[in-house]
């Protein structure tokens, strides 16, 4: 789907557990300027409901399971993240909504830019207008 991809990270598994690493410009296609994480989300809660003008991010579910609805004016898909060695790349102009967080789920996000509220498109109609030139 436009500006989205599932990424597979190395998973070094042994009887003592799993180790994955994320290196900028190698495992994710950008330089990492920010890392944030989301925890303690109730099972009925939904987050996101925005797109970004410039920001690139990779979402990784470190524990439990989380669903991400990704959409643009012409496509829509739901991805379930439940493997710490898998990341969902979300580039600019992808509307995304996160839901069905399981109890104790942990979402880690690596991002290409510092936090900037002016990069957000939080109103869906505004997002549709902004993205029209890219989707015809
Ligand atoms: P938001 O990106 O809307 O979260 P979500 O998409 O998961 O619902 O951010 C929620 C609040 O946190 C908002 O007030 C902005 C703030 N925030 C930061 O201060 N720094 C950050 O890196 C992020 C991602 C959010």
């Amino acid at each position: 789907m436009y500006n989205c991809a599932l990424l597979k990270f190395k998973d070094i598994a042994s009887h003592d557990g799993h180790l994955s690493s994320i290196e900028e410009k190698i495992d994710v296609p950008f330089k990492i300027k920010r890392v944030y994480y989301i925890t303690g989300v109730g099972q009925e809660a939904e987050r996101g409901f925005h797109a970004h003008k410039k920001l690139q991010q990779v979402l990784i579910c470190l524990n439990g399971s989380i669903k991400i609805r990704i959409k643009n004016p012409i496509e829509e898909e739901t991805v379930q993240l439940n493997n710490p060695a898998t990341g969902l790349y979300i580039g600019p102009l992808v509307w995304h909504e996160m839901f069905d967080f399981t109890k104790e789920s942990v979402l880690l996000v690596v991002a290409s830019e510092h936090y900037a509220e002016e990069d957000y498109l939080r109103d869906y109609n505004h997002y549709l207008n902004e993205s029209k030139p890219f989707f015809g």
Side-chain angles (χ1 to χ4, degrees):
M1 199 173 128
Y2 175 82
N3 269 355
C4 292
L6 272 178
L7 308 180
K8 212 65 202 139
F9 307 126
K10 82 174 116 183
D11 177 359
I12 301 172
S14 72
H15 54 273
D16 294 321
H18 293 256
L19 185 152
S20 294
S21 67
I22 299 170
E23 298 192 34
E24 62 182 13
K25 303 284 278 171
I26 297 174
D27 302 294
V28 296
F30 51 80
K31 292 193 92 165
I32 298 168
K33 283 205 185 146
R34 176 165 51 113
V35 174
Y36 64 93
Y37 36 89
I38 296 174
T39 58
V41 181
Q43 274 164 305
E44 300 306 314
E46 303 201 330
R47 303 190 59 117
F49 293 87
H50 62 254
H52 287 279
K53 297 176 194 167
K54 252 184 73 183
L55 186 70
Q56 303 178 73
Q57 308 191 82
V58 174
L59 284 60
I60 304 132
C61 181
L62 294 185
N63 190 53
S65 156
I66 296 164
K67 287 184 188 151
I68 325 278
R69 191 179 300 115
I70 41 180
K71 56 182 181 177
N72 62 48
I74 54 175
E75 300 167 286
E76 175 172 333
E77 204 176 297
T78 295
V79 175
Q80 182 166 28
L81 292 178
N82 56 14
N83 181 341
T86 299
L88 175 63
Y89 169 84
I90 299 182
L93 295 181
V94 177
W95 187 266
H96 52 282
E97 304 168 357
M98 290 102 86
F99 61 104
D100 275 359
F101 289 72
T102 58
K103 205 165 181 283
E104 313 296 340
S105 60
V106 175
L107 181 64
L108 176 75
V109 182
V110 294
S112 66
E113 307 295 335
H114 294 295
Y115 171 71
E117 185 58 37
E118 59 274 18
D119 188 64
Y120 279 74
L121 297 166
R122 291 193 184 271
D123 176 81
Y124 192 66
N125 285 325
H126 184 213
Y127 161 72
L128 289 178
N129 280 335
E130 292 286 311
S131 55
K132 244 188 213 141
F134 298 89
F135 296 97

